[in-house]
Amino acid sequence: MVMDILKKAWVGSLENRIAEIVELVGKVTVERKEFLDTAAERIAKELSAQEEAKLNFICTHNSRRSHLAHVWATVAAHAYGLVHLSAYSGGTEATACNERTVSSLKRSGFEISKKGEGENPHYLCKYSTSAPAIDLFSKVYDQEGNPESRYFAMMCCSDVDEACPIIHGAHARIPLHYQDPKSSDGTPEEAATYDQRSEQIGAEMFYLMRQVASK
Protein backbone atom coordinates (compact mmCIF):
# COMPACT_ATOMS: atom_id res chain seq x y z
CA MET A 1 0.00 0.00 0.00
CA VAL A 2 2.83 2.43 0.82
CA MET A 3 4.43 1.89 -2.57
CA ASP A 4 1.06 2.45 -4.25
CA ILE A 5 0.74 5.76 -2.42
CA LEU A 6 4.20 6.89 -3.46
CA LYS A 7 3.49 6.00 -7.09
CA LYS A 8 0.75 8.64 -7.27
CA ALA A 9 1.47 11.61 -9.52
CA TRP A 10 2.66 13.91 -6.74
CA VAL A 11 4.17 17.24 -7.69
CA GLY A 12 7.78 18.21 -7.16
CA SER A 13 9.40 16.88 -4.00
CA LEU A 14 6.08 16.21 -2.25
CA GLU A 15 6.59 12.45 -2.60
CA ASN A 16 9.51 12.66 -0.16
CA ARG A 17 7.44 14.45 2.48
CA ILE A 18 4.54 12.03 2.02
CA ALA A 19 6.94 9.13 2.60
CA GLU A 20 7.97 10.83 5.86
CA ILE A 21 4.34 11.43 6.83
CA VAL A 22 3.48 7.77 6.21
CA GLU A 23 6.36 6.80 8.52
CA LEU A 24 5.01 9.18 11.19
CA VAL A 25 1.62 7.45 11.13
CA GLY A 26 3.18 4.75 13.29
CA LYS A 27 3.99 7.37 15.94
CA VAL A 28 0.41 8.56 16.37
CA THR A 29 -0.44 7.83 19.99
CA VAL A 30 -2.77 5.03 21.00
CA GLU A 31 -5.20 7.56 22.47
CA ARG A 32 -5.37 9.55 19.24
CA LYS A 33 -5.70 6.40 17.14
CA GLU A 34 -8.67 5.28 19.23
CA PHE A 35 -10.29 8.68 18.76
CA LEU A 36 -9.54 8.72 15.02
CA ASP A 37 -10.84 5.15 14.68
CA THR A 38 -14.21 6.31 15.99
CA ALA A 39 -14.20 9.23 13.56
CA ALA A 40 -13.25 6.92 10.68
CA GLU A 41 -16.16 4.62 11.49
CA ARG A 42 -18.61 7.51 11.31
CA ILE A 43 -17.13 8.87 8.09
CA ALA A 44 -17.11 5.42 6.45
CA LYS A 45 -20.77 4.92 7.36
CA GLU A 46 -21.59 8.27 5.78
CA LEU A 47 -19.77 7.28 2.59
CA SER A 48 -21.68 4.01 2.48
CA ALA A 49 -25.09 5.54 3.19
CA GLN A 50 -24.83 8.80 1.24
CA GLU A 51 -22.18 7.88 -1.34
CA GLU A 52 -20.22 10.96 -0.28
CA ALA A 53 -18.73 12.51 2.85
CA LYS A 54 -17.86 16.15 3.48
CA LEU A 55 -15.33 17.25 6.10
CA ASN A 56 -15.23 20.93 7.05
CA PHE A 57 -12.15 21.80 9.14
CA ILE A 58 -13.01 24.71 11.40
CA CYS A 59 -10.87 27.13 13.42
CA THR A 60 -11.52 30.65 14.65
CA HIS A 61 -9.73 32.51 11.85
CA ASN A 62 -9.23 29.86 9.15
CA SER A 63 -5.59 30.85 8.85
CA ARG A 64 -3.36 28.04 10.13
CA ARG A 65 -4.50 24.69 11.54
CA SER A 66 -7.73 24.45 9.54
CA HIS A 67 -5.86 25.07 6.28
CA LEU A 68 -3.18 22.50 7.14
CA ALA A 69 -5.89 19.94 7.94
CA HIS A 70 -7.84 20.82 4.77
CA VAL A 71 -4.74 20.25 2.65
CA TRP A 72 -3.54 17.04 4.30
CA ALA A 73 -7.03 15.52 4.39
CA THR A 74 -7.37 16.19 0.66
CA VAL A 75 -3.97 14.66 -0.04
CA ALA A 76 -4.63 11.61 2.14
CA ALA A 77 -8.07 11.02 0.62
CA HIS A 78 -6.45 11.16 -2.84
CA ALA A 79 -3.71 8.76 -1.71
CA TYR A 80 -6.26 6.16 -0.57
CA GLY A 81 -8.61 6.59 -3.53
CA LEU A 82 -11.47 8.13 -1.54
CA VAL A 83 -12.84 10.01 -4.52
CA HIS A 84 -16.18 10.76 -2.88
CA LEU A 85 -14.70 12.32 0.24
CA SER A 86 -14.24 16.09 0.09
CA ALA A 87 -12.42 18.43 2.48
CA TYR A 88 -13.13 22.11 3.15
CA SER A 89 -12.11 24.66 5.75
CA GLY A 90 -13.53 27.77 7.38
CA GLY A 91 -13.65 29.86 10.52
CA THR A 92 -16.04 31.78 12.69
CA GLU A 93 -14.51 34.87 11.11
CA ALA A 94 -12.33 35.46 8.06
CA THR A 95 -8.81 36.91 8.19
CA ALA A 96 -6.25 35.45 5.75
CA CYS A 97 -4.41 32.23 5.09
CA ASN A 98 -1.32 33.03 7.10
CA GLU A 99 1.87 33.37 5.08
CA ARG A 100 3.67 31.12 7.57
CA THR A 101 1.19 28.36 6.77
CA VAL A 102 1.87 28.85 3.07
CA SER A 103 5.63 28.79 3.64
CA SER A 104 5.38 25.53 5.60
CA LEU A 105 3.36 23.91 2.83
CA LYS A 106 5.97 25.03 0.31
CA ARG A 107 8.71 23.47 2.41
CA SER A 108 6.76 20.20 2.29
CA GLY A 109 6.91 20.24 -1.51
CA PHE A 110 3.52 21.62 -2.48
CA GLU A 111 3.52 23.91 -5.52
CA ILE A 112 1.74 27.10 -4.49
CA SER A 113 0.90 30.16 -6.55
CA LYS A 114 -0.65 33.35 -5.24
CA LYS A 115 -3.83 34.53 -6.93
CA GLY A 116 -4.85 38.11 -6.30
CA GLU A 117 -3.69 40.68 -3.80
CA GLY A 118 -5.23 42.43 -0.84
CA GLU A 119 -5.56 41.31 2.76
CA ASN A 120 -7.01 37.88 1.93
CA PRO A 121 -5.47 36.56 -1.29
CA HIS A 122 -6.11 33.09 -2.68
CA TYR A 123 -3.30 30.54 -2.79
CA LEU A 124 -3.59 27.70 -5.28
CA CYS A 125 -1.99 24.66 -3.67
CA LYS A 126 -1.04 21.96 -6.20
CA TYR A 127 -0.34 18.48 -4.87
CA SER A 128 -0.85 16.20 -7.87
CA THR A 129 -0.63 16.44 -11.64
CA SER A 130 -3.90 14.48 -11.84
CA ALA A 131 -6.02 16.57 -9.45
CA PRO A 132 -7.10 20.21 -9.25
CA ALA A 133 -5.26 22.60 -6.97
CA ILE A 134 -6.70 23.38 -3.54
CA ASP A 135 -7.91 26.98 -3.27
CA LEU A 136 -6.70 28.31 0.08
CA PHE A 137 -8.10 31.56 1.46
CA SER A 138 -9.72 32.57 4.72
CA LYS A 139 -13.51 32.34 4.94
CA VAL A 140 -16.28 31.65 7.41
CA TYR A 141 -17.23 28.00 7.69
CA ASP A 142 -20.65 28.45 6.04
CA GLN A 143 -19.50 30.69 3.19
CA GLU A 144 -20.77 29.88 -0.29
CA GLY A 145 -18.67 27.08 -1.74
CA ASN A 146 -18.47 25.25 1.57
CA PRO A 147 -21.07 22.59 2.36
CA GLU A 148 -24.37 23.90 3.68
CA SER A 149 -25.66 20.71 5.26
CA ARG A 150 -24.78 17.16 6.26
CA TYR A 151 -21.09 17.66 6.82
CA PHE A 152 -18.66 16.71 9.55
CA ALA A 153 -17.54 19.73 11.57
CA MET A 154 -13.88 18.93 12.20
CA MET A 155 -13.06 21.29 15.07
CA CYS A 156 -9.36 22.11 14.89
CA CYS A 157 -9.07 24.25 18.02
CA SER A 158 -10.62 24.08 21.47
CA ASP A 159 -11.44 27.81 21.50
CA VAL A 160 -13.84 27.66 18.59
CA ASP A 161 -15.22 24.34 19.80
CA GLU A 162 -16.12 25.88 23.16
CA ALA A 163 -17.34 29.18 21.67
CA CYS A 164 -19.64 27.55 19.10
CA PRO A 165 -22.05 25.11 20.71
CA ILE A 166 -23.93 24.94 17.40
CA ILE A 167 -22.37 24.63 13.95
CA HIS A 168 -25.19 25.22 11.51
CA GLY A 169 -25.62 22.51 8.90
CA ALA A 170 -23.29 19.99 10.53
CA HIS A 171 -24.74 16.57 11.27
CA ALA A 172 -21.69 15.46 13.28
CA ARG A 173 -18.94 17.19 15.21
CA ILE A 174 -15.42 15.84 15.70
CA PRO A 175 -13.13 17.70 18.17
CA LEU A 176 -9.63 17.31 16.71
CA HIS A 177 -8.01 20.13 18.74
CA TYR A 178 -4.48 20.95 17.59
CA GLN A 179 -2.11 23.36 19.33
CA ASP A 180 -1.83 26.68 17.49
CA PRO A 181 1.62 27.21 15.89
CA LYS A 182 0.95 30.95 16.19
CA SER A 183 2.65 30.80 19.59
CA SER A 184 6.01 30.63 17.79
CA ASP A 185 5.43 33.56 15.43
CA GLY A 186 8.43 35.88 15.32
CA THR A 187 10.72 33.46 17.15
CA PRO A 188 13.69 31.38 15.91
CA GLU A 189 11.48 28.29 16.33
CA GLU A 190 8.78 29.59 13.98
CA ALA A 191 9.49 27.44 10.91
CA ALA A 192 10.14 24.29 12.94
CA THR A 193 6.92 24.73 14.90
CA TYR A 194 4.79 25.16 11.77
CA ASP A 195 6.45 22.18 10.11
CA GLN A 196 5.93 20.01 13.20
CA ARG A 197 2.26 20.93 13.37
CA SER A 198 1.91 20.22 9.64
CA GLU A 199 3.55 16.81 10.08
CA GLN A 200 1.36 15.98 13.07
CA ILE A 201 -1.81 16.87 11.21
CA GLY A 202 -0.58 15.11 8.07
CA ALA A 203 0.15 11.88 9.93
CA GLU A 204 -3.26 11.91 11.61
CA MET A 205 -5.07 12.63 8.35
CA PHE A 206 -3.22 9.75 6.65
CA TYR A 207 -4.14 7.46 9.52
CA LEU A 208 -7.77 8.63 9.41
CA MET A 209 -8.11 8.10 5.65
CA ARG A 210 -6.39 4.73 5.81
CA GLN A 211 -8.95 3.63 8.38
CA VAL A 212 -11.87 5.01 6.35
CA ALA A 213 -10.60 3.20 3.24
CA SER A 214 -10.33 -0.08 5.16
CA LYS A 215 -13.98 -0.12 6.28
Side-chain angles (χ1 to χ4, degrees):
M1 177 61 75
V2 173
M3 290 305 299
D4 290 340
I5 289 172
L6 297 181
K7 288 178 181 177
K8 297 279 186 177
W10 307 115
V11 299
S13 62
L14 184 58
E15 178 183 326
N16 296 330
R17 180 51 60 92
I18 288 175
E20 295 170 354
I21 293 293
V22 171
E23 286 292 322
L24 288 172
V25 167
K27 296 184 179 181
V28 176
T29 66
V30 172
E31 291 79 11
R32 289 295 282 184
K33 283 182 177 179
E34 290 176 349
F35 166 75
L36 292 167
D37 284 343
T38 301
E41 187 73 34
R42 299 174 75 180
I43 294 168
K45 285 182 178 178
E46 181 74 359
L47 277 170
S48 178
Q50 302 296 321
E51 297 185 349
E52 66 173 351
K54 296 171 283 189
L55 312 185
N56 195 356
F57 294 89
I58 301 173
C59 254
T60 304
H61 298 125
N62 190 208
S63 60
R64 295 173 175 82
R65 290 164 287 180
S66 50
H67 277 127
L68 291 173
H70 177 181
V71 168
W72 282 117
T74 300
V75 170
H78 180 75
Y80 286 103
L82 297 169
V83 296
H84 298 297
L85 188 152
S86 302
Y88 308 84
S89 65
T92 54
E93 58 183 278
T95 54
C97 180
N98 193 273
E99 291 183 356
R100 298 171 182 85
T101 304
V102 175
S103 295
S104 181
L105 290 170
K106 286 181 177 178
R107 287 193 293 272
S108 287
F110 292 94
E111 294 179 356
I112 299 180
S113 58
K114 187 176 181 180
K115 181 182 177 183
E117 298 296 334
E119 296 182 354
N120 187 16
H122 290 235
Y123 296 93
L124 300 181
C125 179
K126 191 75 174 173
Y127 62 94
S128 171
T129 59
S130 62
I134 306 167
D135 188 6
L136 301 179
F137 66 101
S138 186
K139 55 201 169 298
V140 292
Y141 72 86
D142 57 355
Q143 182 166 316
E144 182 179 358
N146 274 7
E148 298 179 356
S149 62
R150 200 166 185 88
Y151 61 86
F152 290 88
M154 312 293 282
M155 311 303 288
C156 291
C157 70
S158 58
D159 289 345
V160 73
D161 203 7
E162 294 170 1
C164 297
I166 298 175
I167 299 294
H168 297 287
H171 78 104
R173 186 177 182 128
I174 298 175
L176 293 170
H177 297 180
Y178 295 110
Q179 186 174 349
D180 194 350
K182 181 181 179 180
S183 60
S184 69
D185 287 4
T187 73
E189 294 77 31
E190 180 181 281
T193 300
Y194 274 79
D195 291 353
Q196 287 166 6
R197 190 65 61 247
S198 179
E199 290 173 352
Q200 177 197 7
I201 292 172
E204 292 197 355
M205 290 302 103
F206 263 78
Y207 179 80
L208 177 64
M209 297 308 168
R210 187 184 75 185
Q211 297 306 98
V212 171
S214 70
K215 303 299 181 184

